[in-house]
Amino acid sequence: METVCDLASLRQRINGWRGAGEKIGLVPTMGNLHEGHLALVEAARKRCDRCVVSIFVNPMQFGEGEDFASYPRTLDADQRKLEAAATDLLFTPTAATVYPQGDQAQTRVEVPGISDILCGASRPGHFVGVATIVCKLFNYVQPDLALFGEKDYQQLMVIRRMVDDLAMPIEIIGLPTVREADGLAKSSRNGYLSPAERRQAPKLYETLGVTARALKSGERDYALLEAEGQEMLRSAGFTPDYYAIRRAEDLQPPDPDERDLVILAAAFMGTTRLIDNLNAA
Ligand code: PAF
């Protein structure tokens, strides 16, 4: 596996493959790779001739006071994992390459509506940062398909909408959340948890499961179920940010007869903000 950090080298490799008629898959990441990322690489390997992974901790998607500075940067270990997973090319641009004028002066991509609710309401500007970097990565690599985890359900929807609205000729694949044995969704931020917090953290998924079962059994008082979910999280030591039952299709509040539902939650365990979601179709 080769690692490149400049656009000229990236484009040279990509152009060679494209000229040979090869299909290219892209897995955008911020590094600190875990099994969730490696499942995306494996899926790209199966569907494409070439798999490109990017690692870039994108300053534009972090708000003030968030964990941009402390976000785990583990390039050597990441390279070893990607090599073992038969990645063809790793792209690790610097902020100066991605944002030569600085990220404040950068042209932005905004997906309205869906970017302002749930995580977008708690983290203003977050999804503008995500959409902008993903758009740039798509322009750099021009992949045939790109793969993302469903753990970041709202992010996946923002990216799908961007691709549709801007008519980007890229297939977006979402893959199921990869979990620890106790149910906790794999996340680079799990490493922030103390041993005591880590023991409590699976309660987030457990709570989603309780709500999903209630919905499946026909319960439709969404406000009550959301309040009960928040209470369960508080009893487990979380400080909930939001706990919401939404239409899976567009994340809007559902009608009582809606069948395709998703429960989305964000909650702080100590200072660590965890997110998770569960489909309740
Ligand atoms: O999910 C992530 O790791 C990031 O939000 C992404 C998609 C790589 C954009 O920086």
Side-chain angles (χ1 to χ4, degrees), residues 114 116-123 127 154 241-244 246 251 264 273:
I114 193 158
D116 303 325
I117 57 175
L118 304 169
C119 280
S122 314
R123 305 182 66 191
F127 288 117
Q154 188 177 3
D241 176 358
Y242 63 79
Y243 193 88
R246 292 297 169 97
L251 297 188
L264 304 108
R273 186 173 181 278

Side-chain angles (χ1 to χ4, degrees), residues 20 29 44 67-68 95 98 113 143 154 161 167 174 188 206 209 227 248 263 272:
T29 82
D67 56 342
F68 172 69
V98 176
Q154 188 177 3
R161 270 277 311 281
S188 301
E206 268 175 56
I263 314 147
T272 307

Side-chain angles (χ1 to χ4, degrees), residues 28-31 37 54 56-58 61 71 126 129-130 133-134 137 148 152 155 159:
T29 82
M30 297 205 299
H37 298 111
S54 62
F56 178 62
V57 184
N58 174 33
Q61 70 189 73
Y71 197 86
H126 170 66
V130 170
I133 186 62
V134 172
L137 290 167
F148 300 87
D152 297 296
Q155 167 173 285
I159 292 166

Side-chain angles (χ1 to χ4, degrees), residues 13-50:
R13 307 304 181 277
I14 301 277
N15 289 343
W17 295 336
R18 197 158 293 297
E22 292 184 320
K23 187 170 175 179
I24 298 168
L26 171 66
V27 179
T29 82
M30 297 205 299
N32 193 232
L33 303 178
H34 50 68
E35 285 88 341
H37 298 111
L38 298 177
L40 300 176
V41 172
E42 196 187 325
R45 297 280 319 139
K46 285 196 181 124
R47 291 172 157 90
C48 300
D49 301 301
R50 300 287 179 176

